[in-house]
Amino acid sequence: MEREGRPVGAASEELVTIGEFARLSRLSAKALRRYDELGLLRPALVDPVNGYRYYDPAQVEGARLVAWLRRIGMPLNRIGRVVALDAGAAAVEIRAYWARVEAETAARRDLAMYLVDHLSAEGRTMSRMPDNAQNTGSSESSGRSRSAGAVALAIRCAALTDIGVVRTANQDAAFAGPRLLAVADGFGEGGAEASAAAIEALKPSTWGRDGALSAADLLNALEDTADSAARAVRDAVAPCADPDGSGTTLTAMLWTGSRLGLVHIGDSRAYLLRGGELFRITHDHSLVQSMIDDGSLSPEEAASHPGPALLLKALVGEARPAAVAVACRADVRLREVLAGDRYLLCSDGLSAVVEAADLRAAVVAADDPQEAVRRLARLAREAGGPDNVACVVADVVVEE
Protein backbone atom coordinates (compact mmCIF):
# COMPACT_ATOMS: atom_id res chain seq x y z
CA MET A 1 0.00 0.00 0.00
CA GLU A 2 1.34 3.42 -0.95
CA ARG A 3 2.26 5.53 2.06
CA GLU A 4 1.50 9.21 1.89
CA GLY A 5 3.99 11.91 2.74
CA ARG A 6 4.90 15.41 1.69
CA PRO A 7 6.36 16.13 -1.75
CA VAL A 8 9.99 17.17 -1.54
CA GLY A 9 10.54 20.73 -2.73
CA ALA A 10 6.94 21.24 -3.88
CA ALA A 11 4.20 23.60 -2.76
CA SER A 12 2.30 20.84 -1.00
CA GLU A 13 -0.55 23.15 0.02
CA GLU A 14 -1.60 23.37 -3.65
CA LEU A 15 -1.74 19.59 -4.14
CA VAL A 16 -3.56 16.80 -2.32
CA THR A 17 -2.48 13.31 -1.45
CA ILE A 18 -3.76 10.27 -3.33
CA GLY A 19 -5.99 9.40 -0.36
CA GLU A 20 -7.63 12.83 -0.31
CA PHE A 21 -7.99 12.85 -4.09
CA ALA A 22 -9.62 9.41 -3.96
CA ARG A 23 -12.19 10.83 -1.52
CA LEU A 24 -12.86 13.87 -3.73
CA SER A 25 -13.14 11.93 -6.99
CA ARG A 26 -15.00 8.88 -5.66
CA LEU A 27 -12.26 6.64 -7.11
CA SER A 28 -10.26 4.23 -5.02
CA ALA A 29 -6.53 4.72 -4.58
CA LYS A 30 -6.07 1.39 -6.36
CA ALA A 31 -8.05 2.67 -9.37
CA LEU A 32 -6.06 5.91 -9.41
CA ARG A 33 -2.78 3.99 -9.49
CA ARG A 34 -4.13 1.82 -12.31
CA TYR A 35 -5.25 4.86 -14.34
CA ASP A 36 -1.85 6.46 -13.81
CA GLU A 37 -0.16 3.34 -15.21
CA LEU A 38 -2.47 3.42 -18.26
CA GLY A 39 -1.91 7.13 -18.86
CA LEU A 40 -5.60 7.89 -18.27
CA LEU A 41 -5.19 10.10 -15.23
CA ARG A 42 -1.66 11.23 -14.42
CA PRO A 43 -0.85 12.74 -11.01
CA ALA A 44 0.15 16.40 -11.00
CA LEU A 45 3.36 15.39 -9.23
CA VAL A 46 5.21 12.20 -8.41
CA ASP A 47 7.77 12.83 -5.68
CA PRO A 48 11.19 11.96 -7.19
CA VAL A 49 12.49 10.80 -3.82
CA ASN A 50 9.73 8.64 -2.36
CA GLY A 51 7.46 8.09 -5.41
CA TYR A 52 4.33 9.40 -3.68
CA ARG A 53 1.56 10.64 -6.02
CA TYR A 54 -0.01 14.09 -5.58
CA TYR A 55 -2.98 15.53 -7.45
CA ASP A 56 -4.24 18.99 -8.27
CA PRO A 57 -7.83 19.55 -7.03
CA ALA A 58 -8.57 20.89 -10.51
CA GLN A 59 -8.23 17.29 -11.76
CA VAL A 60 -11.31 16.18 -9.82
CA GLU A 61 -13.81 16.81 -12.65
CA GLY A 62 -11.72 14.81 -15.09
CA ALA A 63 -11.41 11.98 -12.58
CA ARG A 64 -15.17 11.94 -12.00
CA LEU A 65 -15.72 11.78 -15.76
CA VAL A 66 -13.49 8.71 -15.92
CA ALA A 67 -15.52 7.13 -13.09
CA TRP A 68 -18.83 7.86 -14.82
CA LEU A 69 -17.62 6.52 -18.15
CA ARG A 70 -16.47 3.31 -16.48
CA ARG A 71 -19.90 3.05 -14.89
CA ILE A 72 -21.60 2.98 -18.33
CA GLY A 73 -19.17 0.27 -19.43
CA MET A 74 -16.93 2.26 -21.75
CA PRO A 75 -13.60 0.49 -22.41
CA LEU A 76 -10.50 2.14 -20.92
CA ASN A 77 -8.85 2.79 -24.30
CA ARG A 78 -11.93 4.70 -25.48
CA ILE A 79 -12.12 6.63 -22.20
CA GLY A 80 -8.57 7.80 -22.88
CA ARG A 81 -9.73 9.35 -26.15
CA VAL A 82 -12.81 10.96 -24.59
CA VAL A 83 -11.04 12.67 -21.68
CA ALA A 84 -8.54 14.22 -24.09
CA LEU A 85 -11.35 16.03 -25.98
CA ASP A 86 -13.04 19.33 -25.27
CA ALA A 87 -16.50 19.16 -23.69
CA GLY A 88 -18.47 19.40 -26.95
CA ALA A 89 -16.45 16.76 -28.78
CA ALA A 90 -16.53 14.50 -25.70
CA ALA A 91 -20.32 14.72 -25.63
CA VAL A 92 -20.50 13.66 -29.30
CA GLU A 93 -18.14 10.73 -28.63
CA ILE A 94 -20.18 9.56 -25.61
CA ARG A 95 -23.41 9.77 -27.60
CA ALA A 96 -21.86 7.72 -30.40
CA TYR A 97 -20.63 5.09 -27.92
CA TRP A 98 -23.98 4.74 -26.22
CA ALA A 99 -25.84 4.65 -29.53
CA ARG A 100 -23.67 1.71 -30.56
CA VAL A 101 -24.40 -0.05 -27.25
CA GLU A 102 -28.13 0.41 -27.83
CA ALA A 103 -27.87 -0.77 -31.44
CA GLU A 104 -26.04 -3.90 -30.33
CA THR A 105 -28.62 -4.48 -27.60
CA ALA A 106 -31.43 -4.06 -30.14
CA ALA A 107 -29.79 -6.58 -32.46
CA ARG A 108 -29.51 -9.11 -29.63
CA ARG A 109 -33.12 -8.43 -28.66
CA ASP A 110 -34.29 -9.03 -32.23
CA LEU A 111 -32.39 -12.31 -32.36
CA ALA A 112 -33.79 -13.36 -28.98
CA MET A 113 -37.35 -12.59 -30.12
CA TYR A 114 -36.77 -14.51 -33.35
CA LEU A 115 -35.57 -17.52 -31.37
CA VAL A 116 -38.58 -17.29 -29.03
CA ASP A 117 -40.98 -17.15 -31.99
CA HIS A 118 -39.16 -19.91 -33.86
CA LEU A 119 -39.01 -22.29 -30.90
CA SER A 120 -42.63 -21.53 -29.97
CA ALA A 121 -43.69 -22.37 -33.54
CA GLU A 122 -41.64 -25.58 -33.46
CA GLY A 123 -43.30 -26.52 -30.19
CA ARG A 124 -46.76 -25.99 -31.65
CA THR A 125 -45.87 -28.02 -34.74
CA MET A 126 -44.53 -30.91 -32.66
CA SER A 127 -47.60 -30.89 -30.43
CA ARG A 128 -49.84 -31.28 -33.50
CA MET A 129 -47.86 -34.21 -34.93
CA PRO A 130 -49.33 -37.68 -34.35
CA ASP A 131 -47.13 -40.05 -32.35
CA ASN A 132 -46.40 -42.26 -35.35
CA ALA A 133 -45.17 -39.25 -37.37
CA GLN A 134 -42.30 -38.38 -35.00
CA ASN A 135 -38.73 -39.68 -35.29
CA THR A 136 -39.49 -41.77 -38.37
CA GLY A 137 -36.02 -41.24 -39.85
CA SER A 138 -37.56 -40.33 -43.22
CA SER A 139 -35.89 -37.84 -45.55
CA GLU A 140 -38.78 -35.44 -45.11
CA SER A 141 -38.36 -35.21 -41.33
CA SER A 142 -34.61 -34.57 -41.53
CA GLY A 143 -34.45 -32.34 -44.59
CA ARG A 144 -36.95 -30.38 -46.64
CA SER A 145 -39.91 -29.05 -44.75
CA ARG A 146 -42.32 -28.59 -47.63
CA SER A 147 -45.80 -29.99 -47.25
CA ALA A 148 -47.34 -32.07 -50.02
CA GLY A 149 -49.12 -29.05 -51.50
CA ALA A 150 -46.24 -26.58 -51.21
CA VAL A 151 -44.79 -24.99 -54.36
CA ALA A 152 -41.12 -24.51 -55.18
CA LEU A 153 -39.97 -20.88 -55.14
CA ALA A 154 -37.12 -19.12 -56.92
CA ILE A 155 -35.54 -15.67 -57.16
CA ARG A 156 -35.53 -13.39 -60.21
CA CYS A 157 -33.25 -10.40 -59.69
CA ALA A 158 -31.20 -7.54 -61.10
CA ALA A 159 -28.39 -5.35 -59.75
CA LEU A 160 -27.06 -1.93 -60.73
CA THR A 161 -24.46 0.56 -59.48
CA ASP A 162 -24.20 4.18 -60.57
CA ILE A 163 -21.43 6.68 -59.85
CA GLY A 164 -23.94 9.51 -59.42
CA VAL A 165 -23.53 13.13 -60.46
CA VAL A 166 -20.98 14.45 -57.94
CA ARG A 167 -18.49 11.69 -57.11
CA THR A 168 -15.49 10.99 -59.36
CA ALA A 169 -15.11 7.34 -58.28
CA ASN A 170 -17.56 4.56 -57.52
CA GLN A 171 -17.00 2.78 -54.19
CA ASP A 172 -20.36 0.99 -54.14
CA ALA A 173 -20.80 -2.63 -55.20
CA ALA A 174 -23.86 -4.75 -55.94
CA PHE A 175 -24.52 -8.35 -56.89
CA ALA A 176 -27.66 -10.30 -57.78
CA GLY A 177 -27.71 -14.02 -58.43
CA PRO A 178 -29.93 -17.04 -57.79
CA ARG A 179 -28.34 -17.58 -54.35
CA LEU A 180 -27.04 -14.15 -53.32
CA LEU A 181 -28.34 -10.56 -53.27
CA ALA A 182 -25.93 -7.95 -51.89
CA VAL A 183 -25.08 -4.25 -51.78
CA ALA A 184 -22.03 -2.68 -50.13
CA ASP A 185 -21.10 0.99 -49.72
CA GLY A 186 -17.35 1.47 -49.36
CA PHE A 187 -15.67 4.42 -47.66
CA GLY A 188 -12.15 5.69 -47.11
CA GLU A 189 -9.05 5.19 -49.21
CA GLY A 190 -9.76 1.49 -49.76
CA GLY A 191 -13.54 1.79 -49.99
CA ALA A 192 -13.89 0.30 -53.47
CA GLU A 193 -11.70 -2.66 -52.56
CA ALA A 194 -13.59 -3.16 -49.28
CA SER A 195 -17.06 -3.24 -50.83
CA ALA A 196 -15.95 -5.60 -53.59
CA ALA A 197 -14.19 -7.92 -51.11
CA ALA A 198 -17.21 -8.10 -48.79
CA ILE A 199 -19.50 -9.27 -51.58
CA GLU A 200 -16.92 -11.59 -53.11
CA ALA A 201 -16.56 -13.33 -49.74
CA LEU A 202 -20.26 -14.20 -49.81
CA LYS A 203 -20.32 -15.68 -53.31
CA PRO A 204 -18.94 -19.14 -52.43
CA SER A 205 -21.79 -19.64 -49.96
CA THR A 206 -23.83 -22.62 -51.15
CA TRP A 207 -25.13 -23.71 -47.75
CA GLY A 208 -28.77 -24.43 -47.16
CA ARG A 209 -29.75 -25.68 -50.59
CA ASP A 210 -33.46 -26.41 -50.77
CA GLY A 211 -33.88 -25.53 -47.10
CA ALA A 212 -31.99 -28.62 -45.98
CA LEU A 213 -30.49 -26.95 -42.88
CA SER A 214 -32.31 -26.33 -39.63
CA ALA A 215 -32.97 -22.75 -38.50
CA ALA A 216 -30.19 -23.00 -35.89
CA ASP A 217 -27.71 -24.27 -38.49
CA LEU A 218 -28.73 -21.51 -40.87
CA LEU A 219 -28.15 -18.82 -38.24
CA ASN A 220 -24.71 -20.27 -37.51
CA ALA A 221 -23.94 -20.36 -41.24
CA LEU A 222 -25.00 -16.72 -41.56
CA GLU A 223 -22.66 -15.69 -38.74
CA ASP A 224 -19.80 -17.62 -40.36
CA THR A 225 -20.56 -15.86 -43.65
CA ALA A 226 -20.54 -12.44 -41.98
CA ASP A 227 -17.22 -13.24 -40.26
CA SER A 228 -15.74 -14.27 -43.64
CA ALA A 229 -16.78 -10.94 -45.13
CA ALA A 230 -15.18 -9.07 -42.22
CA ARG A 231 -11.88 -10.90 -42.70
CA ALA A 232 -11.99 -10.28 -46.46
CA VAL A 233 -12.42 -6.54 -45.86
CA ARG A 234 -9.50 -6.40 -43.43
CA ASP A 235 -7.27 -8.19 -45.96
CA ALA A 236 -8.44 -5.94 -48.81
CA VAL A 237 -7.64 -2.65 -47.07
CA ALA A 238 -4.44 -3.78 -45.31
CA PRO A 239 -2.20 -2.18 -48.01
CA CYS A 240 -3.82 1.25 -47.49
CA ALA A 241 -1.92 4.01 -45.73
CA ASP A 242 -4.74 4.19 -43.15
CA PRO A 243 -6.52 0.81 -43.14
CA ASP A 244 -8.48 1.73 -40.00
CA GLY A 245 -10.19 4.51 -41.96
CA SER A 246 -11.38 2.26 -44.77
CA GLY A 247 -14.30 -0.14 -44.81
CA THR A 248 -17.77 -0.83 -46.08
CA THR A 249 -21.38 -1.36 -45.16
CA LEU A 250 -22.97 -4.65 -46.19
CA THR A 251 -26.58 -5.70 -46.65
CA ALA A 252 -26.99 -9.14 -48.17
CA MET A 253 -29.62 -11.85 -48.48
CA LEU A 254 -28.78 -15.49 -49.15
CA TRP A 255 -31.45 -17.71 -50.66
CA THR A 256 -31.75 -21.20 -49.18
CA GLY A 257 -34.52 -22.44 -51.45
CA SER A 258 -37.25 -21.77 -48.90
CA ARG A 259 -36.02 -18.83 -46.80
CA LEU A 260 -33.83 -15.76 -47.08
CA GLY A 261 -30.97 -15.27 -44.64
CA LEU A 262 -30.19 -11.61 -43.95
CA VAL A 263 -26.73 -10.23 -43.13
CA HIS A 264 -26.67 -6.50 -42.32
CA ILE A 265 -24.17 -3.97 -40.97
CA GLY A 266 -24.05 -0.21 -41.54
CA ASP A 267 -26.63 2.04 -43.15
CA SER A 268 -27.33 0.32 -46.43
CA ARG A 269 -30.88 -1.00 -46.34
CA ALA A 270 -33.24 -3.81 -47.27
CA TYR A 271 -36.95 -3.27 -48.00
CA LEU A 272 -39.82 -5.69 -48.62
CA LEU A 273 -42.75 -4.92 -50.92
CA ARG A 274 -45.67 -7.11 -49.88
CA GLY A 275 -49.36 -6.48 -50.44
CA GLY A 276 -48.61 -3.14 -52.05
CA GLU A 277 -46.80 -1.79 -48.96
CA LEU A 278 -43.06 -1.14 -48.72
CA PHE A 279 -41.50 -2.11 -45.37
CA ARG A 280 -37.93 -1.41 -44.26
CA ILE A 281 -36.61 -4.64 -42.73
CA THR A 282 -33.16 -3.44 -41.58
CA HIS A 283 -32.14 -0.98 -38.88
CA ASP A 284 -29.42 1.57 -39.68
CA HIS A 285 -26.28 1.34 -37.55
CA SER A 286 -25.80 5.12 -37.60
CA LEU A 287 -25.68 8.01 -35.16
CA VAL A 288 -28.66 9.70 -36.82
CA GLN A 289 -30.77 6.54 -36.48
CA SER A 290 -29.84 6.31 -32.80
CA MET A 291 -31.01 9.90 -32.33
CA ILE A 292 -34.32 8.99 -33.96
CA ASP A 293 -34.58 5.98 -31.67
CA ASP A 294 -34.05 8.02 -28.48
CA GLY A 295 -36.34 10.85 -29.61
CA SER A 296 -33.61 13.45 -30.17
CA LEU A 297 -34.58 13.75 -33.84
CA SER A 298 -37.80 13.16 -35.71
CA PRO A 299 -37.60 11.23 -38.99
CA GLU A 300 -38.36 14.50 -40.79
CA GLU A 301 -35.51 16.32 -39.01
CA ALA A 302 -33.17 13.42 -39.67
CA ALA A 303 -33.71 13.77 -43.42
CA SER A 304 -32.03 17.19 -43.32
CA HIS A 305 -29.58 16.57 -40.47
CA PRO A 306 -26.40 18.53 -41.28
CA GLY A 307 -23.96 16.22 -39.55
CA PRO A 308 -21.83 13.60 -41.33
CA ALA A 309 -23.18 10.08 -41.82
CA LEU A 310 -21.42 8.63 -38.77
CA LEU A 311 -21.63 4.84 -38.72
CA LEU A 312 -21.79 3.00 -35.42
CA LYS A 313 -20.99 -0.37 -37.02
CA ALA A 314 -19.35 -1.32 -40.32
CA LEU A 315 -16.83 -3.77 -41.74
CA VAL A 316 -13.48 -1.98 -41.32
CA GLY A 317 -9.77 -2.59 -41.60
CA GLU A 318 -9.19 -2.17 -37.88
CA ALA A 319 -8.02 -5.28 -36.00
CA ARG A 320 -10.21 -5.31 -32.88
CA PRO A 321 -9.95 -7.17 -29.57
CA ALA A 322 -12.14 -10.28 -29.50
CA ALA A 323 -14.82 -8.79 -27.24
CA VAL A 324 -15.14 -5.67 -29.40
CA ALA A 325 -15.18 -7.71 -32.62
CA VAL A 326 -18.09 -9.80 -31.32
CA ALA A 327 -20.02 -6.68 -30.31
CA CYS A 328 -19.50 -5.18 -33.78
CA ARG A 329 -20.71 -8.22 -35.71
CA ALA A 330 -23.29 -7.89 -38.43
CA ASP A 331 -26.95 -8.52 -37.63
CA VAL A 332 -28.15 -11.90 -38.90
CA ARG A 333 -31.68 -13.29 -39.14
CA LEU A 334 -33.94 -15.48 -41.23
CA ARG A 335 -36.97 -14.38 -43.22
CA GLU A 336 -39.85 -16.50 -44.42
CA VAL A 337 -40.86 -15.60 -47.98
CA LEU A 338 -44.05 -15.62 -50.01
CA ALA A 339 -44.53 -15.86 -53.76
CA GLY A 340 -45.03 -12.32 -55.02
CA ASP A 341 -42.65 -10.69 -52.53
CA ARG A 342 -40.31 -8.08 -54.01
CA TYR A 343 -37.13 -7.12 -52.15
CA LEU A 344 -35.06 -3.94 -52.56
CA LEU A 345 -31.49 -3.67 -51.23
CA CYS A 346 -29.76 -0.30 -51.62
CA SER A 347 -26.96 1.93 -50.40
CA ASP A 348 -27.70 5.30 -48.79
CA GLY A 349 -26.90 6.99 -52.09
CA LEU A 350 -30.49 6.05 -52.94
CA SER A 351 -32.34 5.91 -49.62
CA ALA A 352 -30.89 9.19 -48.29
CA VAL A 353 -31.97 11.29 -51.27
CA VAL A 354 -35.20 9.69 -52.54
CA GLU A 355 -38.38 9.93 -50.48
CA ALA A 356 -39.87 6.67 -49.21
CA ALA A 357 -43.08 7.30 -51.17
CA ASP A 358 -41.10 7.71 -54.40
CA LEU A 359 -39.11 4.55 -53.65
CA ARG A 360 -42.34 2.63 -53.21
CA ALA A 361 -43.87 4.06 -56.38
CA ALA A 362 -40.83 3.07 -58.45
CA VAL A 363 -40.66 -0.43 -57.00
CA VAL A 364 -44.40 -0.99 -57.48
CA ALA A 365 -44.54 0.39 -61.02
CA ALA A 366 -41.67 -1.64 -62.49
CA ASP A 367 -42.69 -4.76 -64.40
CA ASP A 368 -39.50 -6.63 -63.52
CA PRO A 369 -36.34 -6.22 -61.40
CA GLN A 370 -34.25 -4.90 -64.32
CA GLU A 371 -36.69 -2.07 -64.95
CA ALA A 372 -36.90 -1.38 -61.20
CA VAL A 373 -33.16 -0.84 -60.68
CA ARG A 374 -33.01 1.48 -63.71
CA ARG A 375 -35.92 3.53 -62.36
CA LEU A 376 -34.30 3.80 -58.93
CA ALA A 377 -30.91 4.92 -60.26
CA ARG A 378 -32.65 7.54 -62.37
CA LEU A 379 -34.54 8.84 -59.30
CA ALA A 380 -31.25 9.25 -57.39
CA ARG A 381 -29.75 11.25 -60.27
CA GLU A 382 -32.86 13.43 -60.53
CA ALA A 383 -32.46 14.15 -56.78
CA GLY A 384 -28.95 15.50 -57.43
CA GLY A 385 -26.98 12.25 -57.35
CA PRO A 386 -24.64 13.38 -54.53
CA ASP A 387 -23.36 9.87 -53.84
CA ASN A 388 -22.74 6.53 -55.51
CA VAL A 389 -25.78 4.27 -55.75
CA ALA A 390 -25.99 0.50 -55.45
CA CYS A 391 -29.31 -1.29 -55.66
CA VAL A 392 -30.67 -4.80 -56.10
CA VAL A 393 -34.29 -5.76 -56.75
CA ALA A 394 -35.44 -9.37 -56.46
CA ASP A 395 -38.80 -11.06 -56.97
CA VAL A 396 -39.85 -14.29 -55.27
CA VAL A 397 -41.62 -16.35 -57.93
CA VAL A 398 -43.03 -19.83 -58.33
CA GLU A 399 -40.29 -21.94 -59.86
CA GLU A 400 -41.04 -23.10 -63.39
Side-chain angles (χ1 to χ4, degrees):
M1 181 175 178
E2 180 173 324
R3 296 179 58 196
E4 297 177 359
R6 302 177 70 84
V8 177
S12 59
E13 65 276 4
E14 296 178 3
L15 302 178
V16 296
T17 64
I18 189 171
E20 176 64 11
F21 192 74
R23 186 188 67 77
L24 292 172
S25 64
R26 304 292 180 90
L27 289 168
S28 68
K30 180 179 178 181
L32 289 171
R33 287 192 287 270
R34 174 65 172 156
Y35 296 160
D36 178 14
E37 293 167 0
L38 295 173
L40 261 181
L41 188 62
R42 296 290 194 189
L45 173 70
V46 177
D47 194 301
V49 175
N50 53 36
Y52 296 156
R53 294 172 174 86
Y54 294 88
Y55 293 82
D56 189 323
Q59 293 178 276
V60 167
E61 285 304 312
R64 287 175 177 169
L65 176 59
V66 172
W68 292 329
L69 293 176
R70 286 298 289 155
R71 193 172 296 174
I72 66 172
M74 184 178 286
L76 288 173
N77 62 345
R78 188 158 186 169
I79 290 176
R81 296 198 299 270
V82 172
V83 298
L85 299 172
D86 62 53
V92 171
E93 182 72 12
I94 294 168
R95 174 184 283 278
Y97 166 75
W98 192 248
R100 194 179 77 179
V101 170
E102 291 185 325
E104 291 158 3
T105 302
R108 290 194 294 270
R109 181 186 64 239
D110 289 347
L111 178 56
M113 291 302 98
Y114 166 79
L115 292 172
V116 169
D117 292 344
H118 169 71
L119 293 173
S120 298
E122 276 198 348
R124 290 192 296 270
T125 300
M126 291 299 292
S127 68
R128 291 195 297 267
M129 292 176 64
D131 291 341
N132 62 1
Q134 298 183 28
N135 300 320
T136 62
S138 69
S139 60
E140 281 296 315
S141 65
S142 61
R144 297 157 70 110
S145 58
R146 290 179 184 154
S147 63
V151 296
L153 300 176
I155 297 290
R156 290 179 182 166
C157 51
L160 181 148
T161 65
D162 184 74
I163 195 171
V165 176
V166 176
R167 298 292 177 89
T168 57
N170 192 351
Q171 294 187 309
D172 283 10
F175 180 84
R179 290 281 167 185
L180 172 66
L181 314 169
V183 297
D185 182 356
F187 56 85
E189 176 192 354
E193 292 80 5
S195 60
I199 292 179
E200 195 64 31
L202 304 186
K203 288 182 182 179
S205 299
T206 56
W207 48 267
R209 287 189 179 279
D210 302 319
L213 293 182
S214 69
D217 287 338
L218 283 172
L219 285 171
N220 288 340
L222 283 171
E223 286 216 334
D224 290 345
T225 299
D227 290 345
S228 296
R231 288 192 297 271
V233 169
R234 287 197 297 271
D235 291 344
V237 303
C240 296
D242 180 21
D244 293 358
S246 295
T248 185
T249 68
L250 177 66
T251 300
M253 304 189 85
L254 295 101
W255 175 238
T256 71
S258 60
R259 285 178 285 200
L260 279 167
L262 174 68
V263 176
H264 169 69
I265 187 166
D267 62 356
S268 294
R269 293 180 175 180
Y271 296 86
L272 166 64
L273 180 70
R274 179 179 286 175
E277 294 297 323
L278 189 67
F279 306 94
R280 177 151 63 104
I281 58 174
T282 53
H283 195 78
D284 292 352
H285 300 135
S286 67
L287 182 59
V288 167
Q289 181 64 57
S290 76
M291 294 173 73
I292 295 173
D293 294 341
D294 67 18
S296 303
L297 283 178
S298 69
E300 294 73 24
E301 291 169 333
S304 57
H305 189 266
L310 178 61
L311 293 175
L312 302 180
K313 293 205 296 183
L315 302 179
V316 296
E318 180 182 8
R320 293 163 164 163
V324 178
V326 170
C328 293
R329 271 181 168 170
D331 297 345
V332 299
R333 68 191 66 172
L334 300 178
R335 295 199 60 86
E336 301 296 332
V337 299
L338 298 175
D341 286 348
R342 174 169 282 183
Y343 287 89
L344 163 64
L345 281 62
C346 65
S347 62
D348 69 339
L350 177 66
S351 60
V353 299
V354 177
E355 297 286 341
D358 295 330
L359 277 181
R360 176 192 171 278
V363 173
V364 168
D367 290 332
D368 56 47
Q370 191 66 55
E371 180 187 347
V373 294
R374 287 197 296 264
R375 283 175 178 260
L376 292 166
R378 186 164 60 248
L379 281 176
R381 280 183 167 264
E382 290 171 354
D387 199 355
N388 306 149
V389 170
C391 57
V392 169
V393 173
D395 291 343
V396 180
V397 300
V398 177
E399 191 171 28
E400 295 178 357

